[in-house]
């Protein structure tokens, strides 16, 4: 038998080992939340949340899982085309994780629509969509838990890298098969082959310098306008503020761009190139002097106007760029004042 003086110590240790009611309640609540999240994830890779679900399963403790949420505005009246594109990429990422053999309850993917959870937008002081936020399993979200959409784009592969950085969960993105590219390539090859067959007795066009020069010029314009960057990063076409409805086609940072911006730059570069071609034709052509003057004026006008706009875009992205574009510097002087035009280039 134990001595009587040891009974208080045995009683103390027995109480120390027994879990408290609060601890049991916390574990039960956590188990219930995880079970509910797993049930929703089994039915839909991206869990739709409103204000109540967000407060209960994301904001309120306890929580031992991370949640990656896309805040969006998919209703037709919002006219957010970027939101639909981002939603498709987000679903590709979520499905890749949901049907992966490594799927666990460590991270879940969810979405909050502005029209279904406007109170959540107000709670987080959020005024733009789409926006991706990571809510870690412990602690509050940090600055790096806010995905830099305008810099990195919304491609599923870019989102997967960000999720891996924040949660240490590596997701292999699996895209559904897309036959548009092979079909388009096959159609293009068929057209080229058909044209070559129809003109099989006269293939001089294959040795035409103008044809090859035009093809090379189109390729150069496409590459220099940033299309390869779009293919790698997958940026949005444009950005629309859901509160003001204002659409931005030019990204304000030098570290990112929109797809529409590359199309604008492509058009401007093509116009400048056309102006240079007209100037060369005016200088070397055998046409009469009147037509050559018209070509010269048209070429100068195209180069000045569209190169000025190119510089204006450059200044909008590189705010410290010291040189002003020709249009605003020249419009204050006389069109016939050559010195004013020269000074607009040198100042």
């Amino acid at each position: 038998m134990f001595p009587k003086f040891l009974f208080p110590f045995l009683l103390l240790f027995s109480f120390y080992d027994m879990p408290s009611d609060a601890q049991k309640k916390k574990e039960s609540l956590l188990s219930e939340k995880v079970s509910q999240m797993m049930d929703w994830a089994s039915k839909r890779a991206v869990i739709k949340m409103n204000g109540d679900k967000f407060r209960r399963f994301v904001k309120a403790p306890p929580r031992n899982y991370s949640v990656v949420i896309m805040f969006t505005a998919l209703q037709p009246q919002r006219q957010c085309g970027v939101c639909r594109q981002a939603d498709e990429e987000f679903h590709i990422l979520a499905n890749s994780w949901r049907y992966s053999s490594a799927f666990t309850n460590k991270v879940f993917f969810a979405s909050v629509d502005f029209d279904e959870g406007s109170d959540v937008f107000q709670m987080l002081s959020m005024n733009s969509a789409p926006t991706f936020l990571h809510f870690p399993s412990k602690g509050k979200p940090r600055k790096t838990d806010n995905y830099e959409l305008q810099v990195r784009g919304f491609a599923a592969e870019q989102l997967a890298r960000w999720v891996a950085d924040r949660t240490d969960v590596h997701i292999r993105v699996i895209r559904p098969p897309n036959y548009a590219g092979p079909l388009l390539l096959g159609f293009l090859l068929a057209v080229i082959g058909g044209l070559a067959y129809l003109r099989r007795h006269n293939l001089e066009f294959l040795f035409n310098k103008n044809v090859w020069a035009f093809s090379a010029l189109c390729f150069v314009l496409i590459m220099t306008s940033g299309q390869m960057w779009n293919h790698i990063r997958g940026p949005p076409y444009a950005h629309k503020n859901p509160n003001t409805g204002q659409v931005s086609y030019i990204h304000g940072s030098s570290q990112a761009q929109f797809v529409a911006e590359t199309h604008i730059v492509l058009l401007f570069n093509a116009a400048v190139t056309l102006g240079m071609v007209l100037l060369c034709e005016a200088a070397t052509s055998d046409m009469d002097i009147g037509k050559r003057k018209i070509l010269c004026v048209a070429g100068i006008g195209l180069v000045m106007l569209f190169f000025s706009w190119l510089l204006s875009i450059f200044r909008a992205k590189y705010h410290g760029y010291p040189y002003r574009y020709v249009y605003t510097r020249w419009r204050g002087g006389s069109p016939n004042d050559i010195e004013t035009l020269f000074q607009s280039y040198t100042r």
Side-chain angles (χ1 to χ4, degrees):
M1 295 181 65
F2 292 100
K4 292 183 179 180
F5 70 90
L6 291 178
F7 284 157
F9 295 98
L10 294 175
L11 186 61
L12 178 62
F13 281 117
S14 65
F15 278 116
Y16 180 79
D17 292 334
M18 291 178 59
S20 63
D21 292 341
Q23 184 67 22
K24 288 182 178 180
K25 186 177 180 180
K26 181 179 179 180
E27 293 177 355
S28 175
L29 179 59
L30 178 60
S31 176
E32 179 184 350
K33 292 172 69 173
V34 172
S35 177
Q36 181 64 75
M37 292 290 287
M38 289 292 289
D39 181 61
W40 285 335
S42 65
K43 299 176 182 177
R44 185 188 296 268
V46 178
I47 303 171
K48 287 189 175 182
M49 287 191 171
N50 53 23
D52 294 336
K53 290 182 179 179
F54 177 81
R55 281 185 286 270
R56 180 182 176 188
F57 291 94
V58 179
K59 293 292 290 184
R63 179 164 54 84
N64 62 353
Y65 52 85
S66 297
V67 186
V68 179
I69 301 182
M70 179 182 69
F71 296 89
T72 184
L74 295 174
Q75 296 301 319
Q77 66 269 19
R78 300 300 173 187
Q79 299 180 356
C80 183
V82 179
C83 294
R84 298 186 184 92
Q85 299 174 24
D87 183 69
E88 293 177 1
E89 294 294 317
F90 192 64
H91 273 79
I92 290 174
L93 175 63
N95 281 308
S96 300
W97 169 241
R98 170 63 186 84
Y99 296 103
S100 169
S101 58
F103 174 72
T104 63
N105 59 3
K106 187 175 180 179
V107 59
F108 294 99
F109 293 89
S111 66
V112 177
D113 193 278
F114 179 79
D115 292 279
E116 298 175 1
S118 58
D119 53 337
V120 180
F121 278 74
Q122 295 177 0
M123 182 193 310
L124 300 176
S125 301
M126 194 173 300
N127 56 10
S128 63
T131 299
F132 298 92
L133 287 180
H134 167 246
F135 293 87
S137 57
K138 295 180 180 179
K140 295 182 179 180
R142 301 178 181 179
K143 184 178 180 180
T144 51
D145 290 313
N146 190 341
Y147 181 72
E148 296 178 333
L149 176 64
Q150 296 183 352
V151 175
R152 307 178 67 172
F154 50 70
E157 291 77 8
Q158 292 291 336
L159 289 169
R161 296 188 187 99
W162 172 66
V163 171
D165 291 340
R166 305 314 307 152
T167 65
D168 201 29
V169 172
H170 298 271
I171 303 174
R172 180 173 175 265
V173 176
I174 301 176
R175 292 182 174 274
N178 185 1
Y179 302 104
L183 288 175
L184 182 60
L185 180 60
F187 176 76
L188 181 62
L189 293 175
V191 170
I192 295 174
L195 291 175
Y197 177 78
L198 293 175
R199 301 194 60 177
R200 61 186 180 276
H201 301 299
N202 184 13
L203 298 178
E204 293 182 359
F205 71 95
L206 292 177
F207 303 96
N208 190 315
K209 294 181 180 180
N210 292 332
V211 172
W212 288 105
F214 180 77
S215 301
L217 183 60
C218 291
F219 179 78
V220 170
L221 289 175
I222 291 173
M223 291 297 103
T224 55
S225 63
Q227 302 302 322
M228 186 58 68
W229 195 93
N230 293 341
H231 179 74
I232 296 173
R233 293 294 187 91
Y237 186 82
H239 176 71
K240 182 176 182 180
N241 191 314
N243 293 332
T244 62
Q246 183 179 2
V247 180
S248 300
Y249 299 102
I250 306 296
H251 198 285
S253 171
S254 60
Q255 303 298 320
Q257 66 184 17
F258 296 135
V259 175
E261 180 180 334
T262 62
H263 294 167
I264 295 172
V265 171
L266 173 61
L267 175 63
F268 287 1
N269 282 331
V272 172
T273 304
L274 177 60
M276 297 299 297
V277 171
L278 292 179
L279 288 174
C280 292
E281 285 293 319
T284 60
S285 175
D286 296 331
M287 294 185 297
D288 61 86
I289 191 64
K291 292 182 178 179
R292 292 171 66 183
K293 285 183 177 180
I294 294 175
L295 290 179
C296 183
V297 172
I300 292 176
L302 285 173
V303 172
M304 286 184 57
L305 179 63
F306 286 96
F307 187 72
S308 301
W309 286 346
L310 276 174
L311 282 182
S312 69
I313 294 176
F314 193 80
R315 281 178 59 83
K317 298 179 70 65
Y318 293 84
H319 304 286
Y321 188 69
Y323 302 104
R324 296 184 179 273
Y325 49 98
V326 178
Y327 178 67
T328 56
R329 297 296 293 178
W330 185 40
R331 64 183 178 182
S334 171
N336 297 324
D337 191 352
I338 303 299
E339 186 174 355
T340 303
L341 177 60
F342 174 76
Q343 291 175 357
S344 68
Y345 277 104
T346 57
R347 274 186 288 183

